[in-house]
Amino acid sequence: MQQLDIIGFDLAKMVFQVHGVDESGAVAVQQRLKRSQVLPWFAAQKPCLVGMEACATAHHWARRIRKLGHDVRLLPPSYVKPYVRGQKNDRADAAAICEAVSRPSMRFAPIKTPDQQAVQTLHRSRRLLVRQRIQITNALRGHLAEFGMVFPGRAAGVGKALRALPRLTDADMPATARRGLLCLTTQLQSTANAIKALDRQLLGWHRMQEVSRRLATIPGIGVVTATALAAALGDGHSFRSGREFAARLGLVPRQNSSGGKERLGRISKRGDDYLRQLLVVTATLQFTGKRRRTAPGGAWIEQLRQRKHARVAAVAMANKLARIAWAIVMKGGSYRVTARPGVPDGIGPCGSASGLTEI
């Protein structure tokens, strides 16, 4: 069997495509594999560099193939697209992956562990249920409003609607409509119970993970955000700096620079939108009530608010929180504000280690 140097592996559900080149760069193999043939085929190959897109099932296959001795790299699909030649098909995609993974300046996505994926599954399930709960409450309030009963959208208003529904009579609403709304209330209660169950599982995982507990020492970071950060960061070595981690979350300006002129626009919104949303919401809450006094870099953020819109300042603080989180994971400490001359609140705008203390 010919020795392969680099393999491009295009993922699918049932039929996979491989594209391999030898040390000279010549194409040595182009082959389609069924799902049952993937692992035996890679086991028969000598250890080499294997590239695949970071898409659905990629982390599973990366772990399985890495156990066979291969060096597996995950590439963001947007980085592979420029290397596709001709029409898009499985063979062209595998060839593009093989070409892209060989580039020395290519950036790769970290391979997640089963534990990281398990926690992210909890978060995604919870996010779906929360969205369904909002949809059900909006539908319930909307149907009641059609019969002249208007309730506010907050939790107290929804509670009033749920308590008022069983007391309605035929004079208030036809029985047919009441039966339909009672089905919604049953579904709403079931969804709320499922969310509470997931919250308990997240809390249990949070208490068992030292990294998650240390991340929760950052002001404004709770169990949900701490566990999401711990699952995304892992050991932190997948990111060269806190700045790179913040950029992976899309919390940096989008650039359109040319001719030596820097043009910065809105944030790029690349990467994990769920984690970015959690950090932005956390940063926004730092401006309200007592939390505002405990916000990281309070003096710095107050100066920024005098010059920028409140939402811009909130995104800037979300960027700071992401960089602080990376520093805590890498340095093995917890968050603590320490006084330092010339630096507001003892911590710089990049979330430096001055806010860390070893535990």
Side-chain angles (χ1 to χ4, degrees):
M1 180 176 293
Q2 189 173 2
Q3 172 65 38
L4 299 179
D5 187 52
I6 303 175
I7 297 176
F9 186 41
D10 184 55
L11 299 175
K13 293 182 179 179
M14 300 304 297
V15 180
F16 303 78
Q17 182 75 34
V18 295
H19 179 97
V21 299
D22 55 21
E23 293 183 356
S24 64
V27 178
V29 61
Q30 285 183 321
Q31 185 176 347
R32 296 178 65 185
L33 300 174
K34 294 183 180 180
R35 188 177 184 87
S36 59
Q37 298 173 328
V38 171
L39 292 180
W41 189 88
F42 277 99
Q45 307 300 322
K46 293 182 179 180
C48 62
L49 176 62
V50 179
M52 60 183 73
E53 289 183 325
C55 56
T57 72
H59 298 280
H60 165 74
W61 287 113
R63 292 192 298 265
R64 298 292 298 274
I65 296 174
R66 188 168 56 180
K67 288 183 179 179
L68 300 176
H70 298 284
D71 181 14
V72 183
R73 307 284 180 86
L74 297 183
L75 298 86
S78 60
Y79 292 174
V80 177
K81 187 175 181 180
Y83 294 92
V84 177
R85 289 174 294 181
Q87 301 293 330
K88 184 188 183 310
N89 52 60
D90 292 346
R91 293 185 65 178
D93 288 344
I97 295 171
C98 186
E99 178 68 22
V101 76
S102 65
R103 298 297 90 194
S105 60
M106 181 58 62
R107 295 181 179 180
F108 303 102
I111 300 175
K112 293 183 174 62
T113 64
D115 192 39
Q116 287 178 283
Q117 283 192 289
V119 176
Q120 289 186 333
T121 300
L122 290 179
H123 277 278
R124 289 167 181 166
S125 301
R126 183 182 183 276
R127 186 185 187 185
L128 174 63
L129 292 174
V130 169
R131 187 161 58 244
Q132 290 178 349
R133 182 175 62 181
I134 295 174
Q135 292 173 347
I136 294 173
T137 55
N138 288 341
L140 183 64
R141 292 174 50 245
H143 292 315
L144 288 173
E146 292 295 331
F147 292 93
M149 290 164 282
V150 178
F151 297 92
R154 297 181 179 274
V158 175
K160 291 180 180 179
L162 294 177
R163 290 190 297 270
L165 186 58
R167 298 195 296 266
L168 297 179
T169 63
D170 292 341
D172 301 317
M173 179 186 297
T176 304
R178 294 204 307 273
R179 285 193 293 267
L181 294 185
L182 288 175
C183 292
L184 289 181
T185 59
T186 302
Q187 183 65 30
L188 181 61
Q189 186 61 43
S190 176
T191 304
N193 293 336
I195 294 174
K196 291 180 181 179
L198 291 176
D199 287 340
R200 288 193 294 268
Q201 294 184 53
L202 286 174
L203 179 60
W205 189 87
H206 168 76
R207 289 173 174 173
M208 292 187 298
Q209 299 295 322
E210 179 191 0
V211 173
S212 183
R213 296 198 306 271
R214 288 193 280 109
L215 288 171
T217 61
I218 304 174
I221 299 295
V223 173
V224 174
T225 307
T227 52
L229 283 169
L233 280 167
D235 58 4
H237 289 90
S238 301
F239 306 95
R240 292 175 296 181
S241 63
R243 186 186 298 271
E244 181 177 305
F245 177 59
R248 287 286 187 94
L249 298 180
L251 290 170
V252 296
R254 182 186 297 274
Q255 292 195 38
N256 187 22
S257 304
S258 178
K261 296 181 179 179
E262 291 190 359
R263 297 181 178 89
L264 302 180
R266 299 182 178 182
I267 59 175
S268 64
K269 294 186 178 180
R270 303 173 69 179
D272 192 339
D273 61 335
Y274 174 68
L275 190 52
R276 181 175 63 250
Q277 178 187 7
L278 290 178
L279 290 175
V280 171
V281 170
T282 299
T284 303
L285 292 175
Q286 298 299 313
F287 296 128
T288 61
K290 298 180 180 179
R291 299 184 182 186
R292 186 169 178 175
R293 296 194 295 270
T294 61
W300 164 75
I301 205 68
E302 285 297 329
Q303 295 174 4
L304 183 62
R305 284 199 61 186
Q306 295 176 4
R307 296 182 286 110
K308 299 291 184 179
H309 191 273
R311 297 299 296 176
V312 176
V315 173
M317 179 175 285
N319 182 293
K320 173 191 275 292
L321 291 174
R323 292 155 78 170
I324 293 174
W326 179 87
I328 285 179
V329 172
M330 289 296 297
K331 296 179 180 295
S334 59
Y335 181 88
R336 189 186 68 178
V337 177
T338 55
R340 194 170 69 177
V343 179
D345 293 344
I347 183 168
C350 63
S352 61
S354 62
L356 302 176
T357 178
E358 295 296 330
I359 57 173

